[in-house]
Amino acid sequence: MDLSLLRSVYAPKDFKAKGRETIDLISAHLYNNLSEISKTVIPWKNPEEAHTFWEEFLKNGDINTFQKLVLEQSTSIHHPKYIGHQVAPTAPITIVSGMLSAFLNNGMAIYEMGMVANPIERIITDLLCAKIGYDTAASGFLTSGGTLANLTALLAARAAKAPTDIWNNGNTIQLGVMVSEEAHYCIERAVKIMGLGEKGIIKIPSTSTFQLDTSLLQEYYDNAIADGIIPFAIVGSAPCTATGMFDDLELIASFAKKNDLWFHADGAHGGAAIFSPTYVHTLKGIEKADTVIIDGHKMMMMPGITTAILFKNNNNSYSTFSQKADYLLDQSNDQDWYNSGKRTFECTKNMMCLHWFTLLKTYGEQVFDDFVTCLYNKGKEFAQMILDEDHFELAVQPMSNIVCFRYIEKGLSPQQLDELNQAIRQQILEDGNFYIVQTKLKGTHYLRVTIMNPFTTKEHLKELVALVKQKADLLNN
């Protein structure tokens, strides 16, 4: 058989040349965005147009221009006017850790395939546990994103708190999870994946500041019991994705302890504040949670997706997935942390711990403090800017770098205001010079920004305010 094609695939010299070209392209893209030589943040195409373009490119395009086109036609999260979703402008050094992980392709389920990654992952998660305030009984691991991490935490909660062995025997009773109505949608999705159905998600109304109303907890718990539902867990948002508001983790912890519930803190976005002395107060009570998750790809400058799930009691991390795979996992009497397949849903998992370790080893913990503190400060600054404007209102005074606001005009009905703000956002999106998103809170439509770039300035934010006004004037006339 002729192996010449395969030899070219693996040729070190060719890879070296292509790798240098790619690094040069990315470096130029980074410079052009940070310096704002590039004016476009989101090069908007409608879905059908984009599909047609890439379909044609696959047939007739030049592979040498492929990477350049991908960079040009993707949303530029490193641009200071990207203030849309909770996606970090990745630290360039993580390109290197990403290359190492992709090249080595060492899975981590068993130690002999994860001899580097498993020890490094333990060092990272032990550090995070200590920063939360857990004692030495705690431990954790990394997994692929907040959605999977939240599901894993709730599976651990069920294993620890359900009155029957549902993992092996199936759902024979109606269990429930208590959570704010403003919690991330993945919590409800996890509950339904677990087979608990609509009754299994016990939604607690939020306050006027979009935080879980802790005064209603006992009432909703008692009502669930009366309806034949057995609550086994409660989730605190740290913060809620839509508004950036933190639930009162201290009060939730007290309620969970009183009613023997598993307390899970969804710190996907805000958990990184454990590194910020200025904003760690937003997480007061998190050390009482049975599980905590923190996304590296949100407020810790890492590429997607990597999430830490941390257990107050290490033993609980081993009871979540209790099945045997003889060809992989040897039976042992000790908790062999170095075989991560015993604790995770994933068997093949990339070496995501390299991103965490690289950032810590290169820049130290201070880099996470600087990032979180800077961006939360900018959230406050932008909120004050909105308050100072006649035709704007805040949904709520922000606790983080997420700010929800809207344009208002006297004489317009609530429906007309919703439609106006939707139209403003769509025009900004299609112009492409800023990227912001939108949300609906208690039935009202708001514009929403998440300031993710430390180089987004007050001048950028003033420019956004002026642009919203300009769009409103055009739409009203």
Side-chain angles (χ1 to χ4, degrees):
M1 180 179 176
D2 183 4
L3 297 180
S4 58
L5 176 59
L6 291 176
R7 286 195 180 95
S8 71
V9 169
Y10 291 95
K13 187 175 180 180
D14 287 351
F15 166 71
K16 186 176 182 179
K18 288 182 173 66
R20 283 178 170 171
E21 289 173 10
T22 301
I23 292 294
D24 286 345
L25 280 171
I26 293 172
S27 297
H29 182 77
L30 178 66
Y31 175 79
N32 289 341
N33 277 276
L34 290 179
S35 61
E36 298 183 65
I37 292 172
S38 296
K39 300 301 181 186
T40 302
V41 180
I42 177 166
W44 176 256
K45 280 187 174 69
N46 68 54
E48 292 302 326
E49 182 185 2
H51 177 265
T52 300
F53 176 86
W54 289 110
E55 190 173 48
E56 179 61 28
F57 187 87
L58 182 60
K59 295 175 185 175
N60 302 309
D62 176 6
I63 187 59
N64 293 322
T65 65
F66 175 63
Q67 292 177 337
K68 184 173 183 290
L69 286 170
V70 169
L71 287 167
E72 288 175 354
Q73 297 190 26
S74 296
T75 302
S76 296
I77 63 170
H78 288 84
H79 199 289
K81 293 182 182 179
Y82 172 91
I83 43 178
H85 294 288
Q86 296 146 281
V87 183
T90 47
I93 194 69
T94 61
I95 296 171
V96 178
S97 49
M99 282 196 300
L100 280 172
S101 175
F103 174 72
L104 290 168
N105 210 22
N106 280 197
M108 296 176 57
I110 54 173
Y111 177 65
E112 57 257 39
M113 283 299 292
M115 292 184 292
V116 170
N118 278 309
I120 288 177
E121 184 166 292
R122 182 180 176 184
I123 291 165
I124 295 300
T125 52
D126 283 353
L127 170 64
L128 294 171
C129 286
K131 296 296 290 187
I132 285 171
Y134 286 162
D135 61 26
T136 55
S139 84
F141 51 86
L142 303 179
T143 193
S144 297
T147 297
L148 182 54
N150 278 323
L151 173 60
T152 303
L154 292 178
L155 287 168
R158 187 177 68 178
K161 296 295 184 180
T164 61
D165 182 3
I166 291 171
W167 177 259
N168 289 303
N169 300 326
N171 285 316
T172 57
I173 54 176
Q174 178 63 64
L175 297 175
V177 174
M178 302 182 70
V179 65
S180 169
E181 64 180 356
E182 296 293 340
H184 193 272
Y185 69 86
C186 74
I187 300 297
E188 181 170 357
R189 183 174 289 180
V191 168
K192 291 184 175 178
I193 288 171
M194 292 165 67
L196 305 185
E198 192 67 32
K199 286 186 176 181
I201 188 83
I202 305 164
K203 291 187 179 180
I204 315 299
S206 61
T207 64
S208 60
T209 53
F210 306 100
Q211 296 161 293
L212 185 149
D213 190 342
T214 54
S215 69
L216 299 175
L217 285 175
Q218 196 63 51
E219 176 188 342
Y220 274 73
Y221 177 86
D222 293 341
N223 288 344
I225 295 291
D227 290 340
I229 304 167
I230 302 173
F232 68 95
I234 184 168
V235 179
S237 298
C240 160
T241 299
T243 61
M245 299 301 290
F246 290 75
D247 289 340
D248 190 329
L249 304 182
E250 192 99 71
L251 284 178
I252 294 172
S254 297
F255 173 80
K257 183 176 181 181
K258 175 185 173 184
N259 293 281
D260 193 28
L261 300 176
W262 184 279
F263 172 28
H264 172 59
D266 179 2
H269 183 85
I274 57 174
F275 290 98
S276 169
T278 306
Y279 289 103
V280 70
H281 67 87
T282 59
L283 299 170
K284 185 179 180 183
I286 199 169
E287 72 283 355
K288 298 177 182 178
D290 295 292
T291 40
V292 175
I293 72 162
I294 303 173
D295 282 353
H297 55 278
K298 285 191 169 68
M299 295 296 292
M300 299 182 76
M301 298 174 287
M302 298 174 208
I305 52 181
T306 175
T307 301
I309 175 168
L310 310 161
F311 292 78
K312 187 175 185 178
N313 184 335
N314 178 44
N315 293 331
N316 289 313
S317 70
Y318 288 89
S319 60
T320 311
F321 304 108
S322 54
Q323 69 186 88
K324 183 180 177 183
D326 288 333
Y327 77 101
L328 281 179
L329 303 173
D330 296 327
Q331 290 296 96
S332 61
N333 294 322
D334 66 315
Q335 293 180 338
D336 45 351
W337 55 266
Y338 41 84
N339 290 318
S340 66
K342 288 191 173 183
R343 297 199 288 173
T344 69
F345 187 77
E346 300 163 285
C347 180
T348 303
K349 183 178 76 172
N350 70 40
M351 301 166 73
M352 58 185 76
C353 59
L354 299 184
H355 300 313
W356 302 71
F357 198 87
T358 297
L359 285 169
L360 279 166
K361 189 62 182 170
T362 306
Y363 306 110
E365 292 181 26
Q366 185 64 43
V367 75
F368 300 133
D369 175 14
D370 289 356
F371 192 73
V372 172
T373 303
C374 171
L375 297 181
Y376 279 26
N377 284 345
K378 288 178 185 291
K380 283 185 175 180
E381 184 176 51
F382 184 56
Q384 186 58 53
M385 200 179 297
I386 294 298
L387 289 173
D388 291 341
E389 291 285 339
D390 291 336
H391 289 282
F392 289 81
E393 69 176 14
L394 283 174
V396 63
Q397 185 66 40
M399 296 178 72
S400 65
N401 55 326
I402 300 171
V403 184
C404 297
F405 67 102
R406 65 177 184 149
Y407 183 88
I408 54 175
E409 189 75 58
K410 288 181 179 178
L412 297 182
S413 69
Q415 182 178 344
Q416 288 173 320
L417 284 175
D418 281 354
E419 291 171 353
L420 175 60
N421 280 277
Q422 286 175 322
I424 289 169
R425 190 262 172 177
Q426 187 61 34
Q427 288 204 2
I428 290 173
L429 179 71
E430 293 181 13
D431 285 353
N433 295 326
F434 271 94
Y435 184 44
I436 65 172
V437 293
Q438 58 192 346
T439 190
K440 186 166 278 193
L441 302 172
K442 296 186 182 293
T444 299
H445 195 91
Y446 287 93
L447 303 174
R448 176 180 173 275
V449 303
T450 307
I451 304 170
M452 294 299 297
N453 192 322
F455 306 112
T456 300
T457 65
K458 190 172 184 178
E459 285 65 39
H460 293 123
L461 298 172
K462 283 181 178 178
E463 187 179 340
L464 174 63
V465 170
L467 181 61
V468 171
K469 286 181 183 177
Q470 179 190 30
K471 297 296 183 186
D473 288 342
L474 290 170
L475 288 162
N476 281 331
N477 294 325

